[in-house]
Amino acid sequence: MRTHYCTDVTEKNIDEIVTVAGWVNSRRDHGGIIFIDLRDRGGLVQLVCDPADNKDAWEVADSVRDEFVLIATGKVRARGEGLENPNLVTGKIEIVVDNLVIENRSKPMPFELGDEKVNEEIRLRNRFLELRTEKSYEIFKLRSTANIAVRNCLNELGFLDVETPILTKSTPEGARDYLVPSRVHPGEFYALPQSPQLFKQLLMVSGFDKYFQIAKCFRDEDLRADRQPEFTQIDVEMSFCNQEDVIKVAEKLIHDTFKACGKDVPTTFPRITYKDAMEKYGSDKPDMRFDMAMVDVIDIFANSTNEIFADIAKDTKNNRIKALRCPNGDNIFSKRQMKGFEDYVRKFGAKGLGYFQMKEDGLKGPLTKFFEDADLEAIVKSTELEVGDVVFFGAGEKKTVCDYMGRFRLYLAEQMEIIPADTYEFVWVVDFPMFEIEDGKTKALHHPFTMPNLEKCDLNNVEDLEDIESIAYDIVLNGTELGGGSIRIHKEEVQEKVFELMGISNEEANEKFGFLLEALRYGAPSHGGFALGFDRLIMLLAGTDSIRDVIAFPKTQRAQCLLTQAPSAVDNEQLKELSLRIRKTEV
């Protein structure tokens, strides 16, 4: 049908007859001669329809409008002197059309392609149109390149691509399951997988040694810019390995994928413990593109004559007083702005926010009266203050303080515009706690199949469950959790003990995970792995702010597809076949 893509037509084709096809990007009538910019996946080429050359083709061109689909045949010629377009690959030539076919017409567009100001709801409702833009095409070209690079890398390392079930058993994995009712088993349900976690462990028990899958996962959870109800992850598992083996594979995979996408990143990444990440950056996914680490000054504030600070400083296990140095902040922010920062941190549980300004003659601020000169000097030394700096303080319960001061760190960096663009800063967060306690319930921080670090603890003699470390690791890129994994429990007695510590009875464990526990009784190898969020990876590679930009047909933050109007009601006959009935609730 066509001999060339639009951007394949160059000066080398001058005087040749070519056929191109695509969409009308724009149409211009210059004194009876019609110029059409035709667009396909590669870009634009200019068509010229002159009645003096071919009246039939000109008459067709006269009826053409934006986004019509055309097939054009004509001779390539050089553009006239001074008429070249240096912004186009095809800017030195044009095609003089002698045959023009309208393959299809287009309704008037609901929005101008590429207009970033268009409401997202309108764009998602017409997603098939938004995907016509060069930006969208480049994103999905990048995604395809990354997909192929992942497969090539893991194939080279001897991993086997295995598909695991989409219809599976509902198991507690942190988020709500999407349930699928069974027609042939009335009253019973499948669940869509939150991850292939259990199946990839079963594949290790099966002796497959190295598994991977670019897997679809489903989680019914509250959404935000980097979450979707259905998403894609690179899932990897391997046998007879330790943490170093797994991290080595993950680093090679990431390096090779970025390289294939034209990005240069290191072959190994730095590491930080979970404890240090929380204490210094207030987050288990610290953004390492800039410094501004928090410093704990609770021992200095213990000497304060302020009763609130002194009382908080009595409990160094459960409380924290964090200092955050803001370089040159005294010259950047006014006193009014600095006082206004308190409103920001209060949104995240802070009861207040103190600060000192570093002047030529020492620290100044309303809090100085509560400290001796020696303590003020200790603050300057511990936070490495220089003249012109400001240091902010948060005090209170450990988790709350670390959280809001970590958020405040990012907020300040954004306000100061010190976060570098086009930079990729990776960091491994390691030595995660095995458990966290919420509302009196013990939960696995990663998942209950994560191996505790048995070299550092005795599961039969534990004083504080939150002190148990796991062999788990997350990879973070520019403050976004790209993925993570762990060494898995492969011994039945260890798995049973973990369930016991979580308050899961043998009956409950067998009901929910019986098939895995049974498999562990048949010679399970030591194994571990990781998963990377493929959509998040592409989002960061493409430099876009929303995961919806890198998914062909995404859902909204309310988990709706505006294009297809899903989810939608079904008729009563379908419900009857599934033994379901809709119960109306009063609002």
Side-chain angles (χ1 to χ4, degrees):
M1 183 177 288
R2 62 183 167 195
T3 61
H4 297 74
Y5 284 98
C6 291
T7 49
D8 289 342
V9 184
T10 66
E11 303 97 291
K12 294 179 182 179
N13 303 108
I14 289 175
D15 291 332
E16 290 182 14
I17 302 296
V18 299
T19 299
V20 291
W23 287 262
V24 175
N25 198 68
S26 65
R27 173 190 176 279
R28 305 175 301 281
D29 190 334
H30 289 182
I33 300 176
I34 297 173
F35 295 88
I36 296 172
D37 285 341
L38 193 69
R39 182 190 73 245
D40 64 12
R41 73 175 194 183
L44 305 177
V45 69
Q46 180 170 280
L47 309 181
V48 180
C49 297
D50 188 335
D53 294 318
N54 190 300
K55 188 174 182 181
D56 290 340
W58 178 86
E59 288 177 349
V60 174
D62 191 45
S63 66
V64 161
R65 297 295 178 265
D66 287 355
E67 297 305 312
F68 276 29
V69 182
L70 304 182
I71 300 174
T73 300
K75 180 179 285 190
V76 182
R77 74 180 182 191
R79 293 198 188 191
E81 186 176 347
L83 299 177
E84 295 178 349
N85 186 343
N87 298 319
L88 294 180
V89 176
T90 59
K92 293 183 178 181
I93 59 91
E94 58 192 9
I95 301 172
V96 181
V97 179
D98 58 27
N99 185 48
L100 187 64
V101 176
I102 297 177
E103 185 75 0
N104 222 328
R105 298 175 183 271
S106 172
K107 292 169 56 177
M109 295 287 284
F111 61 92
E112 185 177 345
L113 294 184
D115 185 354
E116 299 289 343
K117 297 178 181 178
V118 176
N119 181 280
E120 185 180 44
E121 184 175 323
I122 295 174
R123 289 190 284 114
L124 290 180
R125 192 179 297 123
N126 298 277
R127 179 65 168 164
F128 55 90
L129 295 178
E130 185 182 28
L131 291 176
R132 289 183 184 179
T133 64
E134 181 181 1
K135 175 185 175 181
S136 291
Y137 179 76
E138 290 301 322
I139 285 174
F140 286 95
K141 182 179 177 182
L142 182 75
R143 184 175 178 123
S144 177
T145 299
N147 187 306
I148 293 168
V150 167
R151 294 185 182 280
N152 287 342
C153 174
L154 292 172
N155 179 66
E156 177 188 329
L157 293 173
F159 284 81
L160 193 66
D161 186 353
V162 183
E163 292 183 357
T164 54
I166 294 296
L167 295 177
T168 184
K169 180 181 176 64
S170 179
T171 56
E173 292 188 46
R176 286 181 294 271
D177 285 325
Y178 278 103
L179 299 177
V180 180
S182 170
R183 178 182 60 81
V184 295
H185 300 283
E188 296 183 351
F189 296 82
Y190 301 102
L192 303 181
Q194 294 186 32
S195 77
Q197 180 62 47
L198 301 183
F199 287 107
K200 65 184 179 185
Q201 289 191 247
L202 291 173
L203 288 170
M204 295 303 99
V205 178
S206 303
F208 276 36
D209 193 62
K210 291 181 178 180
Y211 141 95
F212 87 94
Q213 183 181 188
I214 299 181
K216 274 289 186 182
C217 303
F218 307 85
R219 294 178 187 174
D220 185 6
E221 58 187 351
D222 296 332
L223 306 180
R224 53 180 185 241
D226 63 349
R227 279 184 181 172
Q228 281 279 289
E230 56 178 310
F231 59 94
T232 306
Q233 73 179 31
I234 306 166
D235 207 51
V236 179
E237 197 80 3
M238 50 198 289
S239 292
F240 302 110
C241 62
N242 56 29
Q243 177 174 289
E244 294 304 315
D245 297 324
V246 177
I247 286 178
K248 185 177 179 181
V249 169
E251 288 178 337
K252 176 173 173 52
L253 175 62
I254 292 169
H255 174 269
D256 287 4
T257 303
F258 272 69
K259 183 178 179 181
C261 295
K263 307 292 184 180
D264 185 27
V265 299
T267 55
T268 60
F269 310 134
R271 302 183 193 184
I272 186 172
T273 65
Y274 172 86
K275 180 180 178 181
D276 283 349
M278 297 303 295
E279 295 284 356
K280 293 181 178 181
Y281 304 103
S283 172
D284 60 0
K285 46 181 186 295
D287 192 333
M288 307 298 283
R289 288 175 292 177
F290 62 100
D291 193 9
M292 286 180 65
M294 298 185 296
V295 177
D296 198 75
V297 291
I298 196 168
D299 55 334
I300 303 174
F301 273 66
N303 302 326
S304 170
T305 58
N306 182 293
E307 291 185 8
I308 296 176
F309 289 135
D311 190 53
I312 289 172
K314 291 177 182 177
D315 186 355
T316 58
K317 178 176 174 60
N318 297 304
N319 293 338
R320 291 291 184 272
I321 300 179
K322 291 293 184 182
L324 181 62
R325 171 182 171 247
C326 180
N328 202 36
D330 196 26
N331 299 315
I332 298 174
F333 302 116
S334 66
K335 283 189 177 181
R336 183 176 181 181
Q337 284 177 295
M338 288 190 282
K339 289 179 181 178
F341 291 152
E342 187 170 326
D343 295 331
Y344 176 81
V345 297
R346 283 186 182 278
K347 293 187 293 185
F348 306 104
K351 294 181 180 178
L353 183 71
Y355 68 91
F356 291 142
Q357 296 160 281
M358 186 65 187
K359 303 291 188 179
E360 291 282 357
D361 55 346
L363 288 182
K364 303 296 178 183
L367 295 178
T368 56
K369 62 185 177 182
F370 298 113
F371 295 88
E372 299 290 339
D373 288 344
D375 293 321
L376 293 176
E377 290 176 8
I379 291 172
V380 172
K381 184 177 180 180
S382 64
T383 57
E384 300 180 351
L385 290 178
E386 298 179 0
V387 174
D389 293 348
V390 174
V391 61
F392 295 93
F393 299 96
E397 190 272 329
K398 178 174 72 172
K399 288 184 178 179
T400 303
V401 170
C402 288
D403 178 62
Y404 73 71
M405 289 299 283
R407 293 174 186 270
F408 184 50
R409 171 181 176 266
L410 293 173
Y411 178 76
L412 278 179
E414 290 170 356
Q415 297 299 307
M416 297 163 66
E417 298 182 345
I418 62 171
I419 304 177
D422 301 323
T423 298
Y424 297 106
E425 288 293 340
F426 292 90
V427 63
W428 284 104
V429 181
V430 298
D431 299 342
F432 276 83
M434 180 73 189
F435 302 112
E436 61 179 343
I437 298 175
E438 291 184 355
D439 302 324
K441 293 184 178 180
T442 302
K443 299 179 179 179
L445 192 65
H446 273 72
H447 54 66
F449 315 109
T450 300
M451 178 69 82
N453 193 329
L454 299 178
E455 294 182 359
K456 294 184 179 181
C457 73
D458 179 359
L459 294 183
N460 295 308
N461 185 21
V462 179
E463 292 184 9
D464 188 341
L465 290 178
E466 290 188 310
D467 288 340
I468 299 175
E469 279 186 14
S470 65
I471 309 177
Y473 33 83
D474 279 359
I475 183 66
V476 177
L477 173 56
N478 293 356
T480 295
E481 180 191 330
L482 193 57
S486 67
I487 299 301
R488 325 299 186 188
I489 296 171
H490 66 285
K491 294 181 181 292
E492 180 186 0
E493 62 271 20
V494 177
Q495 188 67 74
E496 288 177 347
K497 186 62 181 179
V498 167
F499 284 150
E500 178 188 324
L501 294 174
M502 293 176 64
I504 298 175
S505 66
N506 289 335
E507 292 75 18
E508 183 181 358
N510 281 309
E511 179 186 348
K512 294 178 177 177
F513 311 109
F515 58 96
L516 176 64
L517 297 178
E518 180 68 9
L520 293 179
R521 299 183 181 110
Y522 287 90
S526 56
H527 59 284
F530 64 91
L532 301 177
F534 190 55
D535 307 298
R536 289 185 183 180
L537 174 69
I538 303 304
M539 180 181 76
L540 293 164
L541 271 169
T544 182
D545 295 327
S546 173
I547 203 170
R548 291 188 287 278
D549 291 339
V550 304
I551 296 174
F553 300 101
K555 307 289 191 297
T556 67
Q557 285 193 319
R558 296 189 63 202
Q560 292 176 301
C561 176
L562 299 182
L563 176 65
T564 63
Q565 300 299 305
S568 59
V570 297
D571 61 44
N572 288 329
E573 190 60 33
Q574 286 178 281
L575 293 174
K576 186 177 179 180
E577 287 182 344
L578 296 170
S579 302
L580 295 177
R581 183 173 58 191
I582 302 297
R583 184 179 66 183
K584 295 183 179 180
T585 56
E586 295 182 4
V587 179

